[in-house]
Amino acid sequence: MLKKKISMFGLSLAILFSCLFLNGCSPKPFLTQDGTYVILTVSPSGMTQSELVELPWNTNMAVLQKFLLEASFVLSDLHTPSSLETSTETPVKATRIQANFPQPKRMKFVVDNKVLTIDVQSIQIEVEGANVGQVILNQTIILQGIENPNLHPAFQELTDALHKVE
């Protein structure tokens, strides 16, 4: 009798975890369907240089996944930036990661403690510069994300893997 209860409990637990796993592990908002990302470098003069993120064939994809996880964390709680957060007296170099979606992707974000649903075609997150964690949706909506101290080290690890010469 006790064995049967334990078996039923184990089965119930397995079903519960399966449901949570399948519902909770849907693609992160930042992940694109085809896995293409661009690193944008904006100079103080406003010139933009882009680099497609293409890891060498022998690179561990965990480096990219770790960076995307840290970038997704920035998106977990957004707020409207104050004028102090968006203004810089002297222009500085900024580096952003960008994901583009071929079709608008409906996403929900927490912005100023309210859930906001937006059809997103592009997301940019600043990883280096004066406004680290700044998020730009559809190249028009500027928000400030969570300051994630793990973002820059994960980005550095990614760029090291991108520029690894064998």
Side-chain angles (χ1 to χ4, degrees), residues 83-120:
S83 58
L84 293 175
E85 289 177 309
T86 56
S87 68
T88 55
E89 292 183 20
T90 55
V92 295
K93 178 182 170 184
T95 304
R96 300 182 184 122
I97 188 76
Q98 177 174 309
N100 294 310
F101 304 101
Q103 300 294 322
K105 185 175 182 182
R106 183 155 289 185
M107 296 183 195
K108 290 184 182 186
F109 299 98
V110 176
V111 179
D112 298 329
N113 297 319
K114 296 177 184 154
V115 176
L116 183 65
T117 303
I118 301 173
D119 289 332
V120 177

Side-chain angles (χ1 to χ4, degrees), residues 9-26:
F9 177 72
L11 180 62
S12 299
L13 198 56
I15 291 171
L16 174 67
F17 282 132
S18 295
C19 289
L20 290 174
F21 179 76
L22 292 174
N23 290 331
C25 292
S26 60

Side-chain angles (χ1 to χ4, degrees), residues 23-89:
N23 290 331
C25 292
S26 60
K28 296 278 185 202
F30 196 70
L31 301 178
T32 66
Q33 193 169 6
D34 58 1
T36 58
Y37 304 91
V38 176
I39 296 173
L40 298 174
T41 306
V42 183
S43 72
S45 66
M47 296 286 293
T48 303
Q49 178 183 354
S50 64
E51 176 184 4
L52 184 63
V53 175
E54 289 184 310
L55 292 172
W57 68 271
N58 59 347
T59 304
N60 186 346
M61 292 301 288
V63 171
L64 177 61
Q65 293 299 322
K66 178 182 174 186
F67 172 69
L68 294 174
L69 178 65
E70 298 301 340
S72 293
F73 179 72
V74 171
L75 297 171
S76 63
D77 189 20
L78 303 169
H79 69 270
T80 306
S82 66
S83 58
L84 293 175
E85 289 177 309
T86 56
S87 68
T88 55
E89 292 183 20

